[in-house]
Amino acid sequence: MNNFVYSIPTKIYFGKGQISHLGEAVSEYGSRALLVYGGGSIKKMGLYQTVIDLLQKDHISVTELFGVEPNPKIESVRAGVKLCHENDINVVLAVGGGSVIDCAKVIAAGVCYDGDAWDLVIHPEKIGRVLPIVSVLTLSATGSEMDGNAVISDMKKNDKFGTFSQDMKPKASILDPEYTYSVSKKQTAAGTADIMSHILETYFNNTPEAFLQSRFAEGLLKTCIKYGMTAMESPKNYEARANLMWASSLAINGLLSYGAGAAWSVHPMEHELSAFYDITHGIGLAILTPNWMKHVLNENTVDKFAEYGVNVWSIDANLNRFEIAEEAIQSTRDFFNEIGIPSTLRSVGIGDDNLEIMAKKAVSKGMDHAFVPLTADDVLAIFKASL
Ligand code: NZQ
Ligand code: ZN
């Protein structure tokens, strides 16, 4: 197992009614909050008014940045930084999905940076002080509620980059599964695929002695398979929403990657699809993942795929290793189809026009230390197989 420093400082308030802790969670860090939210889902479900009432009760003043878009854009970050300066904000409160939380994180870093916030997106090492961040999660997917990552797009340049800072990890996150009852079937499926992809990106690594992390990963994958399906059929099933929500946080908070990580492969590819076509992140991942698996299956990797097939998909361990691996890849594809995700890029409006440039840009983000190192030609082949 590789060396690591374990630090997951986010305080989690998990379960029904935990929003009652909002005032104390925010006022521990500041009294002038920037409330960041998306296009209105929190108003429809009544959460917006609850948040405003609770903040008022604790004498926390509120400035609002609303309309943060899925695949958040740098323009929203800049608008948030401006509001923070104008209103002397000292704590940032994100209420929404990963896009809202990611945008809030880069705002919180951008306020303390003497330059344009885009610099912090492409140069994580320039992130210095960060305003404290608190989040209320409404969509189980990205794990942004408990990690230090933020992904921001500049559509004018077709750029989408992930940045990172320990200090962008939220100080506290409120996770009430009931807030995800209203998530659409499409976003529930995409969220489940995103959680699974975060797990798979670390599960397929080159540290076989990290036995413990692999068993954690398999448990989380089985949780997503079981409860992803249940949440699709019964959106208000608390058990399903609760299991998905906690899986979302644990998939990417370091539990699986500390001591075992490899560079990610499918995410850099998908980020290019979103950067050029603004598609839903989890849908792109689900389309690419089985094709990436097929591409990297070989004599050196087959044992890991066989382990995946037997332990996650309960495939007969007596079969030939390649048979198990191929059946596991097919099971992965079938599951994504069963929860309503299409299998081809064309079905989400992507043709062959930008494949080469996207492949080059994906590889430039560093795939040489991946489970199987990939060149631009490899990525192009995976894109073509996904069309
Ligand atoms: O904008 P509103 O009205 O809130 O609607 C949103 C949005 O349209 C809606 N939604 C959220 N909660 C809802 C709801 N609708 C009804 N009921 C609710 N309770 O869902 C839509 C999608 O929301 P979004 O925040 O974009 O989804 P997600 O959480 O999947 O975030 C995706 C973004 O996160 C990045 C992705 O690249 C993408 O930009 N990622 C962030 C990561 C991280 N910080 O660690 C890692 C991931 O790999 C990922 O790259
Ligand atoms: Zn993801």
Side-chain angles (χ1 to χ4, degrees), residues 173-385:
S173 288
I174 294 173
L175 274 57
D176 181 340
E178 291 185 316
Y179 293 144
T180 64
Y181 285 173
S182 55
V183 174
S184 66
K185 279 192 190 299
K186 178 186 167 188
Q187 291 294 341
T188 298
T192 302
D194 190 21
I195 302 168
M196 289 176 69
S197 179
H198 298 156
I199 303 164
L200 293 168
E201 296 267 27
T202 49
Y203 182 72
F204 288 98
N205 61 53
N206 296 310
T207 319
E209 69 275 18
F211 179 91
L212 176 63
Q213 288 89 329
S214 290
R215 303 295 85 74
F216 278 151
E218 287 158 1
L220 283 167
L221 285 167
K222 288 168 102 158
T223 302
C224 293
I225 294 161
K226 175 176 166 67
Y227 288 112
M229 196 62 90
T230 311
M232 292 298 292
E233 287 160 3
S234 331
K236 296 192 176 170
N237 182 312
Y238 184 82
E239 183 179 324
R241 293 296 193 179
N243 276 279
L244 287 175
M245 194 170 236
W246 193 218
S248 148
S249 306
L250 297 183
I252 194 174
N253 74 348
L255 180 76
L256 307 182
S257 60
Y258 285 147
W264 289 16
S265 303
V266 183
H267 271 68
M269 290 188 247
E270 192 295 313
H271 283 170
E272 293 312 317
L273 303 182
S274 303
F276 279 79
Y277 299 94
D278 213 0
I279 64 163
T280 300
H281 174 61
I283 304 287
L285 294 171
I287 295 170
L288 293 173
T289 295
N291 296 305
W292 165 77
M293 288 177 160
K294 272 190 172 174
H295 190 86
V296 301
L297 174 62
N298 59 39
E299 190 54 50
N300 297 327
T301 62
V302 65
D303 287 343
K304 188 70 191 177
F305 278 102
E307 188 177 297
Y308 169 62
V310 171
N311 293 346
V312 176
W313 296 106
S314 306
I315 297 167
D316 181 358
N318 294 315
L319 292 174
N320 160 304
R321 292 176 309 155
F322 275 94
E323 278 172 359
I324 301 173
E326 274 155 25
E327 202 175 319
I329 296 171
Q330 189 58 43
S331 300
T332 310
R333 185 189 288 276
D334 291 346
F335 173 73
F336 290 143
N337 291 162
E338 278 166 38
I339 58 173
I341 302 180
S343 308
T344 64
L345 294 179
R346 288 197 197 281
S347 56
V348 293
I350 300 178
D352 44 18
D353 3 351
N354 292 304
L355 299 184
E356 287 185 15
I357 171 95
M358 291 193 298
K360 281 193 189 127
K361 285 179 89 168
V363 169
S364 72
K365 291 176 180 167
M367 292 187 183
D368 32 357
H369 297 292
F371 172 58
V372 173
L374 298 178
T375 64
D377 285 343
D378 290 313
V379 174
L380 186 59
I382 295 167
F383 282 153
K384 284 186 174 165

Side-chain angles (χ1 to χ4, degrees), residues 88-162:
D88 197 16
I89 296 297
N90 54 14
V91 57
V92 180
L93 171 61
V95 183
S99 294
V100 166
I101 304 175
D102 284 5
C103 184
K105 286 175 173 175
V106 185
I107 291 170
V111 181
C112 311
Y113 175 69
D114 192 16
D116 181 30
W118 183 252
D119 296 348
L120 307 180
V121 177
I122 53 174
H123 293 294
E125 71 283 2
K126 290 192 178 173
I127 299 176
R129 205 169 71 80
V130 179
L131 286 186
I133 300 155
V134 174
S135 84
V136 180
L137 182 66
T138 65
L139 201 172
S140 306
T142 64
S144 190
E145 67 276 9
M146 208 177 176
D147 74 16
N149 302 313
V151 187
I152 304 294
S153 298
D154 183 344
M155 297 310 283
K156 291 195 191 101
K157 294 186 260 182
N158 292 122
D159 276 343
K160 181 175 187 180
F161 280 88

